[in-house]
Amino acid sequence: MATAQTKDMPLATTFDRHCKETMNLIIMNGTLVDNRFKVTHFAGDWHGEKCYYAEDLKDGQPVMLKAFSPTDSRIQAHIQLLTECAGTKGIPHLVARFQLLDHEFIAHDHKGVRFARILNDRFFRISKENTIRVGTRLLRILHAMHMKGFVHRDVRPLIVMCSVDHNKELQVGMSYFAHAATNGGAYGRVDDYISVVIIMMACQMVRPFDYNTNNHLTHVQKKEVFHENPYDALTPDTMWLGDIYLMLEEMRVSNSFRHLEIMCAMSRAHPGFDPNTPITYHYDQQNGHLLID
């Protein structure tokens, strides 16, 4: 079981401080860091965590470099999770930890296309079969994390990665763990699973929390309206997602989380279908465009 990590805290205040501490960190493209990683380009800055795409010159593989201020406890959360979940399918491999320019860095492997980009590139919904396949794989990753004592707390399309392996099979993984913590706080396993349900809804082009949906309501109000009756936001062929959502909420109320029951509900949504079958897709390796059917 994992030891205590990032405690529930006022995240906005904490992240504001870390943002100020990493504001002046700039690494130019082409820079060699730690005598091993060649920075290719800046990936983004999220709540004081700066990320860079780089190439590991040791084996030529792509990695993500993540920089944290020395006072940022999230680096230890990353390291502990990646270490204790090492070998879990869908969890990145921790490559290195080092110090540079008064910051703490970690490097982990990073392959594929963000699921958010796949969703944004589509004009039509992902098939029900692939929606269930993607959801099943995400639930399996989270279950493995939960069994080690961690909750993710930030499952969304932007942190989900899709890559094509050497067998031409599409793999699903996660790339961001800055909010990860040990289970037992206000945010629990049910919330991680509900986040996957929301991702599956997006696969079916159902987005009750988007800005353009009921934009007269605040995000909190949208969540309250959805919780009151999730079926109102769903289409006739996505009611099964409402069933799973309500099942999870019942587990929250009864404080009795049952992973197997959720997996069985996924299977019942499409009788006779095996969710472990390969995800079907179209991939243009030259430009990196990936489309899930």
Side-chain angles (χ1 to χ4, degrees):
M1 179 68 68
T3 56
Q5 299 178 314
T6 307
K7 297 180 180 179
D8 292 334
M9 63 182 78
L11 292 179
T13 301
T14 303
F15 291 153
D16 285 345
R17 186 180 78 247
H18 295 321
C19 286
K20 293 177 181 178
E21 292 173 346
T22 60
M23 184 185 308
N24 296 324
L25 176 65
I26 298 176
I27 301 177
M28 302 300 294
N29 294 351
T31 301
L32 181 66
V33 299
D34 200 37
N35 295 315
R36 177 175 178 178
F37 306 107
K38 184 178 181 180
V39 174
T40 55
H41 59 284
F42 181 54
D45 189 344
W46 294 279
H47 302 298
E49 175 189 350
K50 285 200 170 181
C51 301
Y52 296 86
Y53 295 110
E55 178 187 1
D56 185 353
L57 298 183
K58 185 175 180 180
D59 56 15
Q61 295 299 308
V63 296
M64 177 70 75
L65 302 180
K66 296 182 176 179
F68 303 82
S69 69
T71 62
D72 194 338
S73 62
R74 290 177 298 171
I75 187 170
Q76 190 56 40
H78 266 76
I79 292 171
Q80 189 171 355
L81 187 148
L82 295 179
T83 299
E84 296 197 22
C85 295
T88 300
K89 194 171 185 178
I91 302 290
H93 168 65
L94 179 64
V95 177
R97 177 182 183 177
F98 58 93
Q99 295 181 331
L100 177 69
L101 301 174
D102 297 322
H103 283 73
E104 295 279 346
F105 279 76
I106 62 172
H108 65 68
D109 59 358
H110 184 82
K111 298 178 181 179
V113 177
R114 295 188 186 277
F115 195 58
R117 175 179 163 186
I118 295 173
L119 290 175
N120 290 338
D121 285 348
R122 293 189 60 86
F123 292 103
F124 304 98
R125 64 185 181 182
I126 290 174
S127 68
K128 182 177 182 179
E129 292 82 0
N130 277 337
T131 296
I132 295 174
R133 289 174 177 130
V134 170
T136 297
R137 284 157 173 79
L138 290 175
L139 292 179
R140 190 177 295 125
I141 295 169
L142 289 169
H143 181 61
M145 287 178 53
H146 294 165
M147 291 300 97
K148 293 288 187 178
F150 298 95
V151 286
H152 190 282
R153 305 200 304 172
D154 193 27
V155 181
R156 50 197 168 97
L158 189 64
I159 68 98
V160 175
M161 302 299 299
C162 296
S163 61
V164 178
D165 65 16
H166 63 281
N167 292 320
K168 306 300 182 184
E169 185 169 331
L170 192 143
Q171 302 294 338
V172 175
M174 296 182 182
S175 68
Y176 182 77
F177 303 92
H179 293 167
T182 52
N183 194 25
Y187 188 106
R189 294 177 291 175
V190 165
D191 300 281
D192 275 350
Y193 276 43
I194 285 178
S195 294
V196 174
V197 173
I198 302 305
I199 289 177
M200 290 193 291
M201 288 168 52
C203 292
Q204 296 291 295
M205 301 191 77
V206 176
R207 299 182 174 93
F209 311 119
D210 275 12
Y211 174 78
N212 291 324
T213 302
N214 293 327
N215 55 15
H216 63 289
L217 300 177
T218 67
H219 185 71
V220 172
Q221 289 172 328
K222 291 178 184 181
K223 292 175 68 175
E224 291 172 347
V225 169
F226 180 79
H227 178 72
E228 186 68 24
N229 185 1
Y231 297 110
D232 278 352
L234 299 173
T235 59
D237 52 353
T238 57
M239 293 296 177
W240 59 278
L241 288 166
D243 295 341
I244 295 175
Y245 173 82
L246 291 178
M247 184 181 297
L248 286 163
E249 285 296 338
E250 182 277 326
M251 291 181 182
R252 186 202 303 280
V253 173
S254 64
N255 196 28
S256 177
F257 184 80
R258 302 178 295 279
H259 166 77
L260 184 58
E261 189 171 324
I262 297 301
M263 299 302 278
C264 290
M266 295 278 283
S267 296
R268 286 197 303 271
H270 198 331
F273 171 69
D274 181 2
N276 298 308
T277 50
I279 299 169
T280 58
Y281 65 92
H282 297 275
Y283 179 50
D284 188 328
Q285 190 169 5
Q286 186 171 0
N287 63 22
H289 184 73
L290 177 61
L291 180 69
I292 294 178
D293 298 333

